[in-house]
Amino acid sequence: MIAKTPEPPYYAVIFTSVLKKTHEGYSEMADKMEELAKLQPGYLGFESARQKLGISISYWKDLESIRSWKQNTKHLLAQKSGRENWYEQYHIRITKVERDYHFKTI
Amino acid sequence: MIAKTPEPPYYAVIFTSVLKKTHEGYSEMADKMEELAKLQPGYLGFESARQKLGISISYWKDLESIRSWKQNTKHLLAQKSGRENWYEQYHIRITKVERDYHFKTI
């Protein structure tokens, strides 16, 4: 669901990807990495959706938290598997959230 | 597909949303707005995916382009319809893309 994030500024990592036709083991690893990310210092939230294109957004307190998560040993192994086995292509964008707005019906 | 954006810095508007159970006319309007956004000054690209959660990301040259698109007359009407008829909730995050990386298999 929509992540409950604090007042800006904070950071968002936008990960857009296209999977290979066969990608056995991908979903299990994605779930594992989502669980592991939640335990990292500075983690603020996560959102994802996939049709042909997959979009995953993770929210972080600062750039240092993003750097640490990128270098996490289990995450490094998952990244390697991703490049070798699962992703046809991906794009990662490191962004700073400057403003946000929320709308909700009663 | 994955948007082909220029070298950072540029801006990304992250729009995450949950639709009401009935949302007649939503898809047609979403398509129209995507086509209209492409014609705006400063537009750089668009990515979207929807499962339970919908994520749409539009990329822009600068904050002024985002402001102009937000105030576009047809877009204002679509936003009104969205709040009244289609969205249970949404969250908009204005972000500055500071760095990006691309991976592609041969």
Side-chain angles (χ1 to χ4, degrees):
Chain A
M1 287 297 89
I2 296 179
K4 282 178 189 161
T5 40
E7 286 294 303
Y10 55 92
Y11 284 81
V13 179
I14 303 172
F15 182 86
T16 45
S17 64
V18 178
L19 292 173
K20 291 180 182 173
K21 269 175 201 144
T22 60
H23 45 264
E24 204 182 329
Y26 168 76
S27 291
E28 293 77 5
M29 182 63 94
D31 290 347
K32 259 190 213 168
M33 285 304 115
E34 190 179 335
E35 288 309 307
L36 190 59
K38 281 179 189 166
L39 305 174
Q40 305 310 305
Y43 171 90
L44 298 177
F46 184 77
E47 296 168 336
S48 73
R50 178 174 295 281
Q51 287 175 307
K52 280 182 192 172
L53 182 71
I55 307 179
S56 298
I57 307 175
S58 56
Y59 297 102
W60 301 89
K61 190 175 166 233
D62 50 29
L63 287 173
E64 183 50 36
S65 314
I66 295 171
R67 237 175 261 129
S68 301
W69 171 232
K70 189 183 175 188
Q71 296 303 327
N72 174 287
T73 310
K74 286 181 186 168
H75 189 202
L76 282 171
L77 287 171
Q79 291 169 45
K80 189 166 181 286
S81 277
R83 284 187 296 269
E84 289 172 1
N85 305 318
W86 297 318
Y87 294 117
E88 191 179 291
Q89 57 173 312
Y90 63 72
H91 201 106
I92 298 175
R93 294 178 173 95
I94 312 288
T95 79
K96 184 177 187 180
V97 181
E98 299 187 343
R99 276 180 296 158
D100 66 357
Y101 315 91
H102 194 71
F103 166 80
K104 195 173 182 176
T105 51
I106 299 158
Chain B
M1 291 291 90
I2 295 179
K4 283 178 188 159
T5 40
E7 288 293 303
Y10 54 93
Y11 283 81
V13 179
I14 304 173
F15 182 86
T16 45
S17 63
V18 178
L19 292 174
K20 290 182 182 172
K21 271 174 200 143
T22 58
H23 46 265
E24 203 183 328
Y26 169 76
S27 292
E28 293 77 7
M29 183 62 94
D31 290 348
K32 259 189 214 170
M33 285 304 115
E34 190 180 335
E35 287 309 307
L36 190 59
K38 282 180 188 163
L39 305 175
Q40 304 310 304
Y43 170 91
L44 299 176
F46 184 78
E47 296 169 336
S48 72
R50 178 174 296 280
Q51 287 174 305
K52 279 181 195 175
L53 183 70
I55 306 179
S56 297
I57 307 175
S58 56
Y59 298 102
W60 302 89
K61 190 175 166 232
D62 49 31
L63 287 173
E64 183 49 38
S65 316
I66 294 170
R67 238 175 263 131
S68 300
W69 170 232
K70 190 183 174 190
Q71 295 303 328
N72 175 287
T73 310
K74 286 180 186 168
H75 189 203
L76 282 172
L77 286 171
Q79 290 168 46
K80 190 166 180 284
S81 277
R83 285 188 297 271
E84 289 172 1
N85 306 316
W86 298 316
Y87 295 115
E88 191 179 292
Q89 56 173 310
Y90 63 71
H91 201 107
I92 298 175
R93 293 178 174 96
I94 311 288
T95 79
K96 184 178 187 178
V97 181
E98 299 187 343
R99 276 179 296 159
D100 66 356
Y101 314 92
H102 195 72
F103 166 81
K104 194 174 182 175
T105 52
I106 300 159

Short mmCIF file of all heavy atoms in Angstrom, two decimals, chain B residues 13 15 29-43 45-46 57-60 62-79 92 94:
data_model
loop_
_atom_site.label_atom_id
_atom_site.label_comp_id
_atom_site.label_asym_id
_atom_site.label_seq_id
_atom_site.Cartn_x
_atom_site.Cartn_y
_atom_site.Cartn_z
N VAL B 13 8.14 13.09 -10.47
CA VAL B 13 6.93 13.18 -9.65
C VAL B 13 6.42 11.76 -9.45
O VAL B 13 6.04 11.08 -10.41
CB VAL B 13 5.85 14.04 -10.31
CG1 VAL B 13 4.59 14.08 -9.44
CG2 VAL B 13 6.36 15.45 -10.57
N PHE B 15 3.66 9.39 -8.19
CA PHE B 15 2.23 9.44 -7.88
C PHE B 15 1.79 8.02 -7.55
O PHE B 15 1.74 7.15 -8.41
CB PHE B 15 1.48 9.97 -9.10
CG PHE B 15 0.00 10.12 -8.89
CD1 PHE B 15 -0.53 11.28 -8.34
CD2 PHE B 15 -0.88 9.12 -9.26
CE1 PHE B 15 -1.90 11.43 -8.15
CE2 PHE B 15 -2.26 9.25 -9.07
CZ PHE B 15 -2.76 10.41 -8.52
N MET B 29 -9.26 8.39 -19.14
CA MET B 29 -8.72 9.68 -18.72
C MET B 29 -7.22 9.57 -18.45
O MET B 29 -6.46 10.47 -18.83
CB MET B 29 -9.45 10.17 -17.46
CG MET B 29 -9.00 11.54 -16.99
SD MET B 29 -9.32 12.85 -18.20
CE MET B 29 -10.91 13.43 -17.59
N ALA B 30 -6.79 8.47 -17.84
CA ALA B 30 -5.35 8.29 -17.56
C ALA B 30 -4.56 8.28 -18.88
O ALA B 30 -3.50 8.92 -18.97
CB ALA B 30 -5.13 6.99 -16.79
N ASP B 31 -5.08 7.59 -19.88
CA ASP B 31 -4.41 7.57 -21.19
C ASP B 31 -4.35 8.96 -21.80
O ASP B 31 -3.31 9.38 -22.33
CB ASP B 31 -5.15 6.62 -22.15
CG ASP B 31 -4.99 5.16 -21.74
OD1 ASP B 31 -4.13 4.87 -20.88
OD2 ASP B 31 -5.72 4.30 -22.29
N LYS B 32 -5.47 9.67 -21.73
CA LYS B 32 -5.52 11.04 -22.28
C LYS B 32 -4.50 11.93 -21.60
O LYS B 32 -3.81 12.72 -22.25
CB LYS B 32 -6.92 11.64 -22.02
CG LYS B 32 -7.85 11.62 -23.22
CD LYS B 32 -9.10 12.44 -22.90
CE LYS B 32 -10.31 11.82 -23.58
NZ LYS B 32 -11.58 12.42 -23.11
N MET B 33 -4.41 11.83 -20.28
CA MET B 33 -3.50 12.69 -19.52
C MET B 33 -2.04 12.34 -19.84
O MET B 33 -1.20 13.23 -19.92
CB MET B 33 -3.77 12.60 -18.01
CG MET B 33 -5.01 13.32 -17.57
SD MET B 33 -5.03 15.09 -18.03
CE MET B 33 -6.41 15.14 -19.18
N GLU B 34 -1.77 11.05 -20.05
CA GLU B 34 -0.41 10.65 -20.43
C GLU B 34 -0.04 11.29 -21.78
O GLU B 34 1.07 11.82 -21.93
CB GLU B 34 -0.31 9.11 -20.49
CG GLU B 34 1.12 8.63 -20.62
CD GLU B 34 1.23 7.10 -20.69
OE1 GLU B 34 0.33 6.40 -20.18
OE2 GLU B 34 2.24 6.62 -21.26
N GLU B 35 -0.97 11.26 -22.72
CA GLU B 35 -0.72 11.85 -24.04
C GLU B 35 -0.52 13.36 -23.94
O GLU B 35 0.35 13.93 -24.60
CB GLU B 35 -1.88 11.54 -24.99
CG GLU B 35 -1.93 10.08 -25.45
CD GLU B 35 -0.60 9.59 -26.01
OE1 GLU B 35 -0.06 10.27 -26.91
OE2 GLU B 35 -0.07 8.57 -25.52
N LEU B 36 -1.34 13.99 -23.09
CA LEU B 36 -1.27 15.45 -22.93
C LEU B 36 0.03 15.86 -22.22
O LEU B 36 0.66 16.86 -22.60
CB LEU B 36 -2.49 15.92 -22.12
CG LEU B 36 -2.74 17.43 -22.03
CD1 LEU B 36 -2.93 18.05 -23.41
CD2 LEU B 36 -3.99 17.72 -21.17
N ALA B 37 0.44 15.07 -21.24
CA ALA B 37 1.68 15.38 -20.51
C ALA B 37 2.88 15.41 -21.46
O ALA B 37 3.76 16.28 -21.35
CB ALA B 37 1.91 14.36 -19.39
N LYS B 38 2.88 14.47 -22.41
CA LYS B 38 3.99 14.38 -23.38
C LYS B 38 4.20 15.66 -24.17
O LYS B 38 5.28 15.90 -24.69
CB LYS B 38 3.72 13.24 -24.38
CG LYS B 38 3.99 11.87 -23.83
CD LYS B 38 3.71 10.79 -24.87
CE LYS B 38 3.80 9.41 -24.21
NZ LYS B 38 3.17 8.36 -25.01
N LEU B 39 3.13 16.44 -24.32
CA LEU B 39 3.20 17.66 -25.12
C LEU B 39 3.66 18.88 -24.31
O LEU B 39 3.87 19.95 -24.86
CB LEU B 39 1.81 17.97 -25.71
CG LEU B 39 1.16 16.85 -26.54
CD1 LEU B 39 -0.25 17.24 -26.96
CD2 LEU B 39 2.01 16.53 -27.77
N GLN B 40 3.81 18.71 -23.00
CA GLN B 40 4.15 19.85 -22.15
C GLN B 40 5.64 20.17 -22.21
O GLN B 40 6.47 19.27 -22.35
CB GLN B 40 3.77 19.56 -20.69
CG GLN B 40 2.32 19.20 -20.46
CD GLN B 40 1.36 20.16 -21.12
OE1 GLN B 40 1.42 21.36 -20.86
NE2 GLN B 40 0.48 19.66 -21.97
N PRO B 41 5.99 21.47 -22.09
CA PRO B 41 7.41 21.85 -22.03
C PRO B 41 8.07 21.20 -20.82
O PRO B 41 7.48 21.18 -19.74
CB PRO B 41 7.36 23.38 -21.83
CG PRO B 41 5.96 23.80 -22.12
CD PRO B 41 5.07 22.61 -21.96
N GLY B 42 9.26 20.67 -21.01
CA GLY B 42 10.02 20.12 -19.91
C GLY B 42 9.72 18.67 -19.59
O GLY B 42 10.35 18.07 -18.71
N TYR B 43 8.76 18.06 -20.33
CA TYR B 43 8.43 16.64 -20.11
C TYR B 43 9.60 15.76 -20.56
O TYR B 43 10.14 15.95 -21.65
CB TYR B 43 7.17 16.29 -20.91
CG TYR B 43 6.85 14.81 -20.96
CD1 TYR B 43 6.02 14.23 -20.00
CD2 TYR B 43 7.36 13.99 -21.97
CE1 TYR B 43 5.72 12.88 -20.04
CE2 TYR B 43 7.07 12.64 -22.02
CZ TYR B 43 6.25 12.08 -21.05
OH TYR B 43 5.95 10.75 -21.09
N GLY B 45 9.66 12.03 -19.60
CA GLY B 45 9.32 10.61 -19.71
C GLY B 45 8.29 10.20 -18.69
O GLY B 45 7.93 10.98 -17.80
N PHE B 46 7.84 8.95 -18.81
CA PHE B 46 6.74 8.46 -17.98
C PHE B 46 6.87 6.96 -17.79
O PHE B 46 7.23 6.24 -18.72
CB PHE B 46 5.41 8.78 -18.70
CG PHE B 46 4.19 8.40 -17.91
CD1 PHE B 46 3.74 9.21 -16.87
CD2 PHE B 46 3.47 7.25 -18.20
CE1 PHE B 46 2.61 8.88 -16.14
CE2 PHE B 46 2.34 6.90 -17.48
CZ PHE B 46 1.91 7.72 -16.44
N ILE B 57 5.13 7.46 -12.53
CA ILE B 57 6.21 8.42 -12.33
C ILE B 57 6.37 9.24 -13.61
O ILE B 57 6.49 8.66 -14.69
CB ILE B 57 7.54 7.71 -12.01
CG1 ILE B 57 7.33 6.75 -10.82
CG2 ILE B 57 8.62 8.72 -11.70
CD1 ILE B 57 8.55 5.92 -10.49
N SER B 58 6.31 10.56 -13.47
CA SER B 58 6.59 11.40 -14.63
C SER B 58 7.89 12.15 -14.35
O SER B 58 8.17 12.54 -13.22
CB SER B 58 5.44 12.36 -14.92
OG SER B 58 5.14 13.15 -13.79
N TYR B 59 8.69 12.30 -15.41
CA TYR B 59 10.01 12.94 -15.28
C TYR B 59 9.97 14.29 -15.97
O TYR B 59 9.37 14.43 -17.06
CB TYR B 59 11.09 12.04 -15.89
CG TYR B 59 11.21 10.71 -15.17
CD1 TYR B 59 10.65 9.56 -15.71
CD2 TYR B 59 11.84 10.63 -13.94
CE1 TYR B 59 10.73 8.34 -15.03
CE2 TYR B 59 11.93 9.42 -13.26
CZ TYR B 59 11.38 8.29 -13.81
OH TYR B 59 11.46 7.09 -13.13
N TRP B 60 10.61 15.28 -15.35
CA TRP B 60 10.54 16.67 -15.81
C TRP B 60 11.89 17.35 -15.70
O TRP B 60 12.70 17.00 -14.84
CB TRP B 60 9.52 17.44 -14.96
CG TRP B 60 8.15 16.83 -15.03
CD1 TRP B 60 7.65 15.86 -14.21
CD2 TRP B 60 7.13 17.10 -16.00
NE1 TRP B 60 6.37 15.52 -14.62
CE2 TRP B 60 6.02 16.27 -15.70
CE3 TRP B 60 7.04 17.99 -17.09
CZ2 TRP B 60 4.84 16.30 -16.46
CZ3 TRP B 60 5.87 18.02 -17.84
CH2 TRP B 60 4.78 17.17 -17.52
N ASP B 62 12.49 20.55 -14.83
CA ASP B 62 12.66 21.41 -13.66
C ASP B 62 11.32 21.59 -12.93
O ASP B 62 10.28 21.10 -13.40
CB ASP B 62 13.24 22.77 -14.07
CG ASP B 62 12.48 23.38 -15.25
OD1 ASP B 62 11.26 23.12 -15.37
OD2 ASP B 62 13.09 24.10 -16.05
N LEU B 63 11.36 22.28 -11.80
CA LEU B 63 10.14 22.48 -10.99
C LEU B 63 9.10 23.32 -11.73
O LEU B 63 7.90 23.12 -11.58
CB LEU B 63 10.49 23.15 -9.66
CG LEU B 63 11.20 22.24 -8.64
CD1 LEU B 63 11.64 23.07 -7.42
CD2 LEU B 63 10.29 21.10 -8.19
N GLU B 64 9.58 24.26 -12.58
CA GLU B 64 8.67 25.12 -13.32
C GLU B 64 7.80 24.28 -14.28
O GLU B 64 6.60 24.53 -14.41
CB GLU B 64 9.47 26.18 -14.09
CG GLU B 64 8.64 27.20 -14.84
CD GLU B 64 7.52 27.82 -14.01
OE1 GLU B 64 7.73 28.07 -12.82
OE2 GLU B 64 6.41 28.05 -14.58
N SER B 65 8.40 23.28 -14.93
CA SER B 65 7.63 22.40 -15.83
C SER B 65 6.55 21.64 -15.05
O SER B 65 5.43 21.47 -15.54
CB SER B 65 8.54 21.36 -16.50
OG SER B 65 9.73 21.93 -16.94
N ILE B 66 6.90 21.19 -13.85
CA ILE B 66 5.95 20.45 -13.02
C ILE B 66 4.78 21.35 -12.62
O ILE B 66 3.62 20.97 -12.70
CB ILE B 66 6.65 19.88 -11.76
CG1 ILE B 66 7.69 18.84 -12.18
CG2 ILE B 66 5.64 19.28 -10.78
CD1 ILE B 66 8.61 18.38 -11.05
N ARG B 67 5.11 22.59 -12.23
CA ARG B 67 4.11 23.57 -11.83
C ARG B 67 3.14 23.87 -12.99
O ARG B 67 1.93 23.92 -12.80
CB ARG B 67 4.81 24.87 -11.40
CG ARG B 67 4.48 25.29 -9.98
CD ARG B 67 5.31 26.50 -9.57
NE ARG B 67 6.48 26.10 -8.81
CZ ARG B 67 7.73 26.51 -9.02
NH1 ARG B 67 8.00 27.34 -10.01
NH2 ARG B 67 8.72 26.08 -8.25
N SER B 68 3.69 24.04 -14.19
CA SER B 68 2.84 24.34 -15.36
C SER B 68 1.90 23.19 -15.66
O SER B 68 0.73 23.40 -15.94
CB SER B 68 3.70 24.59 -16.60
OG SER B 68 4.55 25.66 -16.39
N TRP B 69 2.42 21.98 -15.60
CA TRP B 69 1.59 20.80 -15.88
C TRP B 69 0.49 20.66 -14.82
O TRP B 69 -0.66 20.38 -15.15
CB TRP B 69 2.46 19.55 -15.97
CG TRP B 69 1.72 18.25 -16.02
CD1 TRP B 69 1.92 17.17 -15.22
CD2 TRP B 69 0.66 17.88 -16.93
NE1 TRP B 69 1.06 16.17 -15.56
CE2 TRP B 69 0.26 16.57 -16.61
CE3 TRP B 69 0.01 18.55 -17.97
CZ2 TRP B 69 -0.75 15.89 -17.29
CZ3 TRP B 69 -1.01 17.88 -18.65
CH2 TRP B 69 -1.37 16.57 -18.32
N LYS B 70 0.84 20.91 -13.57
CA LYS B 70 -0.15 20.85 -12.49
C LYS B 70 -1.30 21.82 -12.74
O LYS B 70 -2.45 21.52 -12.41
CB LYS B 70 0.54 21.17 -11.15
CG LYS B 70 -0.33 20.89 -9.93
CD LYS B 70 0.37 21.30 -8.63
CE LYS B 70 -0.56 21.14 -7.44
NZ LYS B 70 0.02 21.75 -6.22
N GLN B 71 -0.99 22.98 -13.34
CA GLN B 71 -1.99 24.03 -13.55
C GLN B 71 -2.67 23.96 -14.92
O GLN B 71 -3.53 24.78 -15.21
CB GLN B 71 -1.33 25.41 -13.37
CG GLN B 71 -0.82 25.67 -11.97
CD GLN B 71 -1.91 25.55 -10.90
OE1 GLN B 71 -3.07 25.84 -11.15
NE2 GLN B 71 -1.54 25.08 -9.71
N ASN B 72 -2.26 23.02 -15.76
CA ASN B 72 -2.89 22.86 -17.09
C ASN B 72 -4.40 22.66 -16.93
O ASN B 72 -4.86 21.86 -16.12
CB ASN B 72 -2.26 21.65 -17.79
CG ASN B 72 -2.93 21.32 -19.11
OD1 ASN B 72 -4.05 20.81 -19.14
ND2 ASN B 72 -2.27 21.62 -20.20
N THR B 73 -5.19 23.41 -17.71
CA THR B 73 -6.65 23.45 -17.53
C THR B 73 -7.30 22.06 -17.62
O THR B 73 -8.09 21.67 -16.75
CB THR B 73 -7.30 24.37 -18.58
OG1 THR B 73 -6.59 25.61 -18.56
CG2 THR B 73 -8.76 24.63 -18.24
N LYS B 74 -6.95 21.31 -18.66
CA LYS B 74 -7.54 19.96 -18.81
C LYS B 74 -7.09 19.03 -17.69
O LYS B 74 -7.83 18.17 -17.23
CB LYS B 74 -7.17 19.37 -20.17
CG LYS B 74 -7.94 20.01 -21.31
CD LYS B 74 -7.56 19.40 -22.65
CE LYS B 74 -8.25 20.16 -23.78
NZ LYS B 74 -7.70 19.80 -25.09
N HIS B 75 -5.84 19.22 -17.27
CA HIS B 75 -5.30 18.40 -16.18
C HIS B 75 -6.00 18.74 -14.86
O HIS B 75 -6.29 17.85 -14.06
CB HIS B 75 -3.79 18.62 -16.09
CG HIS B 75 -3.08 17.68 -15.15
ND1 HIS B 75 -1.87 17.98 -14.58
CD2 HIS B 75 -3.44 16.46 -14.66
CE1 HIS B 75 -1.52 16.98 -13.78
NE2 HIS B 75 -2.43 16.05 -13.81
N LEU B 76 -6.32 20.02 -14.65
CA LEU B 76 -7.04 20.43 -13.42
C LEU B 76 -8.40 19.75 -13.35
O LEU B 76 -8.83 19.29 -12.28
CB LEU B 76 -7.21 21.95 -13.38
CG LEU B 76 -5.98 22.77 -12.97
CD1 LEU B 76 -6.25 24.27 -13.16
CD2 LEU B 76 -5.60 22.50 -11.51
N LEU B 77 -9.09 19.66 -14.51
CA LEU B 77 -10.39 18.99 -14.55
C LEU B 77 -10.25 17.50 -14.24
O LEU B 77 -11.05 16.91 -13.52
CB LEU B 77 -11.05 19.19 -15.92
CG LEU B 77 -11.61 20.59 -16.19
CD1 LEU B 77 -12.05 20.73 -17.63
CD2 LEU B 77 -12.80 20.87 -15.24
N ALA B 78 -9.20 16.90 -14.79
CA ALA B 78 -8.94 15.47 -14.55
C ALA B 78 -8.64 15.23 -13.06
O ALA B 78 -9.10 14.25 -12.46
CB ALA B 78 -7.78 14.98 -15.41
N GLN B 79 -7.87 16.14 -12.46
CA GLN B 79 -7.55 16.02 -11.03
C GLN B 79 -8.83 16.06 -10.18
O GLN B 79 -8.99 15.31 -9.22
CB GLN B 79 -6.62 17.16 -10.59
CG GLN B 79 -5.21 17.07 -11.16
CD GLN B 79 -4.41 18.36 -10.94
OE1 GLN B 79 -4.39 18.92 -9.85
NE2 GLN B 79 -3.75 18.85 -11.97
N ILE B 92 1.38 12.20 -3.61
CA ILE B 92 2.25 12.78 -4.64
C ILE B 92 3.55 13.22 -3.99
O ILE B 92 3.52 13.92 -2.97
CB ILE B 92 1.57 13.99 -5.31
CG1 ILE B 92 0.28 13.55 -6.00
CG2 ILE B 92 2.52 14.67 -6.30
CD1 ILE B 92 -0.52 14.70 -6.59
N ILE B 94 7.20 15.10 -4.89
CA ILE B 94 8.03 15.84 -5.85
C ILE B 94 9.48 15.59 -5.46
O ILE B 94 9.89 15.92 -4.34
CB ILE B 94 7.76 17.36 -5.77
CG1 ILE B 94 6.26 17.65 -5.80
CG2 ILE B 94 8.52 18.10 -6.86
CD1 ILE B 94 5.58 17.45 -7.09
#
